């Protein structure tokens, strides 16, 4: 995750459209006595059986956890609860051989969704990719990936991005490679949260994980005064216009969010004398954001978030 931190910091220091406001960070940190502990499944929408099937579920969930905004009625909750219901109905629904055969209409039926999903062909392609590679390299079980990583979240993210191209969330920015790895990192965070840091969720280096750069977190950081946008970018976002995937604006929104929350985390730790995890900050910011669905967020068609 050093690459994620270092390249995000580089973007923040060369950014043309997004500014990380140090005084804004200080104001937010001054108002925080402690980071509220948000339960991972505070909405009760996830499958959990405390075993390998939960790992399989989370891997499929995070393979598909992207780009809900084009359908105003669709949200992450629909995906998480729909996959949960499918697995409760049929414990073999996410077997590796079956993942390789799903079609768009079958995925819709699984999620009980009445119309084509945003980026549906990509979602199906990624399901096939996950099923194929799990079968080829991990005896069909996502839990085998986790067990091979020796309780290291960093090794897990490295393994996921090595074996599964659909998780390789990086961009070129002003001639530099930038690593963001949202969905690979959120898998580690989900495992840690679901298993409460034990069993398949025990990672000795969970502090290495950064926040997961998506749509919600930049919008919340802007609302809190931590991120400032150029007038051009602000107008694009406030008008609900699209921002191109891999564009300078999009990379800056995501990378500056990572950098800003790292700075928040460091300042909170300095002031409180307690270590704060980026995973905890991410969940807090995300839970804050979903309480205010009208917050204007950037709109990018992407398989990465």
């Amino acid at each position: 995750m050093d690459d994620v931190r270092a390249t995000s910091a580089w973007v923040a220091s060369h950014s043309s459209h997004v500014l990380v406001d140090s005084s804004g960070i200080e104001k937010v940190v001054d108002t925080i006595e402690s980071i509220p502990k948000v339960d991972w499944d505070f909405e009760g929408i996830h499958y959990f059986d405390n075993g390998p099937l939960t790992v399989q579920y989370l891997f499929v969930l995070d393979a598909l956890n992207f780009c809900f905004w084009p359908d105003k009625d669709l949200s992450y909750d629909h995906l998480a609860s729909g996959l949960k219901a499918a697995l409760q109905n049929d414990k073999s629904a996410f077997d590796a051989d079956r993942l390789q055969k799903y079609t768009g209409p079958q995925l819709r039926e699984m999620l009980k969704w009445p119309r084509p999903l945003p980026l549906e062909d990509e979602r199906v392609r990624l399901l096939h990719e996950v099923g194929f590679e799990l079968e080829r390299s991990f005896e069909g079980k996502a839990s085998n990936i986790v067990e091979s990583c020796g309780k290291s979240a960093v090794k897990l993210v490295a393994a996921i991005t090595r074996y599964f191209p659909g998780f390789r969330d990086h961009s070129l920015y002003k001639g530099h490679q930038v690593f963001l790895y949202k969905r690979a990192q959120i898998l580690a965070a989900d495992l840690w949260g679901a298993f409460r840091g034990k069993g398949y969720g025990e990672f000795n280096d969970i502090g290495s994980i950064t926040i997961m750069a998506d749509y919600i977190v930049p919008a919340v950081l802007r609302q809190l005064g931590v991120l400032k946008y150029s007038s051009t970018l602000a107008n694009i976002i406030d008008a609900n216009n699209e921002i191109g995937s891999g564009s300078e604006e999009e990379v800056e929104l995501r990378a500056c969010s990572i950098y800003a929350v790292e700075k928040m985390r460091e300042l909170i730790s300095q002031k409180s004398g307690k270590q704060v995890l980026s995973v905890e900050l991410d969940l807090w910011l995300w839970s804050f954001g979903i309480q205010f669905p009208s917050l204007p967020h950037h709109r990018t068609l992407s398989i990465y978030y």
Side-chain angles (χ1 to χ4, degrees), residues 63-93:
L64 300 176
N65 180 6
F66 58 87
C67 205
F68 303 102
W69 63 264
D71 188 327
K72 63 181 178 58
D73 298 320
L74 184 66
S75 71
Y76 170 80
D77 290 12
H78 295 108
L79 178 67
S81 59
L83 294 177
K84 174 184 178 180
L87 198 52
Q88 287 174 327
N89 185 55
D90 179 359
K91 291 292 193 286
S92 67

Side-chain angles (χ1 to χ4, degrees), residues 235-256:
N235 289 337
I236 291 170
I237 291 173
D238 294 341
N240 292 331
N241 291 330
E242 276 188 45
I243 293 172
S245 178
S247 64
E248 282 191 8
E249 292 88 344
E250 189 232 7
V251 175
E252 289 177 11
L253 284 161
R254 301 183 70 205
C256 288

Side-chain angles (χ1 to χ4, degrees), residues 42 65 67-69 74-77 182 186 211-224 227 229 237 253-254 257 261 281-300 305:
F42 66 94
N65 180 6
C67 205
F68 303 102
W69 63 264
L74 184 66
S75 71
Y76 170 80
D77 290 12
K182 184 256 183 179
I186 209 170
I211 64 146
M212 280 53 88
D214 60 4
Y215 302 100
I216 301 285
V217 171
V220 172
L221 293 175
R222 181 192 185 194
Q223 178 74 12
L224 294 173
L227 293 185
Y229 299 167
I237 291 173
L253 284 161
R254 301 183 70 205
S257 295
V261 175
L281 277 172
D282 183 86
L283 191 54
W284 172 62
L285 290 165
W286 189 80
S287 62
F288 179 97
I290 61 172
Q291 295 173 52
F292 301 96
S294 60
L295 273 184
H297 64 75
H298 73 282
R299 294 166 183 254
T300 297
Y305 63 102

